[in-house]
Amino acid sequence: MYILRVYLKGLLLLTGKSGDSVKGQKNSKVNHTLLKRNLVNKWLNEMIENEVSIEEAIEKLKALHSELGDLLISILIKKLEDKNVRIRSTAAWALGVVGNEDTIDPLRRIIYDPKKSDIAKAAAITGLHELGEDIDLSEITLKNPVSVFKYLV
C-alpha cells in the first residue's frame, strides 16, 4: 500500500499536478481517477505479460484494493468488456478476489452469454467461486471445453 502511495505521489510530482509547486509550476488539479486507472492497467498488464505467482498477484491486487477501494471494482467491471480475452479473464478472476455483491451480476452475465469465450467463462466461474457463489455448471454452454482445461492448467 505504501509503495502505491509513493508511486502515485511520484506521478503527481512529475506531472506537476500534486498541488505542490514543482520547479515553479503553478498548482493545478489532477485527474486522480485517470492516474488510478493507470495503476489498474499497469497491474493487469503485469499479470498477463509476466509469470507472476498467484500469491504475488493476490498481494498486489489487495494492495491496489486497499488504495483504490470501490474504484478498483468499477474499473475491473469495465475491463470485463475489454477486447483482450486475457484482460477480461484477469479482471474476472480479480473481481472474485476483491469483489463484493456488485460484482456477482456482471460475472454471472459472462457465464451465461453465448457470445463470451470459454476462457472468459472459466475466469468468471473462478471469480464467482472465490466470492462463495453457487454455480450450476449444467446450465453453462461451452464452445470448446478443452480450452477451459488448458486455461485452468
Side-chain angles (χ1 to χ4, degrees):
M1 186 163 77
Y2 173 75
I3 293 171
L4 290 174
R5 284 192 186 130
V6 170
Y7 177 74
L8 272 175
K9 185 161 178 95
L11 283 175
L12 294 171
L13 288 171
L14 285 173
T15 60
K17 299 178 180 180
S18 67
D20 300 328
S21 293
V22 177
K23 295 185 181 179
Q25 293 179 352
K26 294 181 181 179
N27 292 345
S28 62
K29 290 184 178 180
V30 66
N31 186 340
H32 292 284
T33 302
L34 181 60
L35 290 173
K36 291 175 179 181
R37 285 182 198 279
N38 287 340
L39 282 176
V40 176
N41 288 333
K42 181 179 177 186
W43 178 83
L44 283 166
N45 287 325
E46 181 180 351
M47 294 305 106
I48 65 172
E49 293 174 3
N50 301 318
E51 288 191 26
V52 178
S53 72
I54 193 76
E55 294 82 12
E56 183 181 356
I58 290 172
E59 181 182 328
K60 289 181 178 186
L61 179 61
K62 287 185 176 182
L64 264 178
H65 187 248
S66 176
E67 186 71 27
L68 305 180
D70 288 340
L71 178 61
L72 173 63
I73 292 171
S74 68
I75 293 169
L76 290 172
I77 288 172
K78 288 178 183 172
K79 292 295 181 180
L80 294 174
E81 299 301 322
D82 196 274
K83 293 177 185 176
N84 184 329
V85 68
R86 295 178 75 194
I87 294 286
R88 291 192 309 267
S89 300
T90 304
W93 168 81
L95 285 169
V97 175
V98 297
N100 57 32
E101 64 277 351
D102 295 336
T103 63
I104 294 169
D105 286 340
L107 291 173
R108 283 198 178 275
R109 281 195 296 274
I110 290 171
I111 64 175
Y112 296 114
D113 186 340
K115 296 176 187 170
K116 297 296 182 187
S117 72
D118 290 348
I119 293 172
K121 288 180 182 185
I125 290 167
T126 303
L128 287 166
H129 176 74
E130 292 289 330
L131 289 168
E133 286 295 301
D134 292 327
I135 305 151
D136 184 358
L137 297 177
S138 67
E139 297 179 5
I140 300 168
T141 305
L142 298 175
K143 298 170 189 162
N144 181 4
V146 174
S147 67
V148 174
F149 292 117
K150 288 179 182 176
Y151 169 78
L152 296 173
V153 173

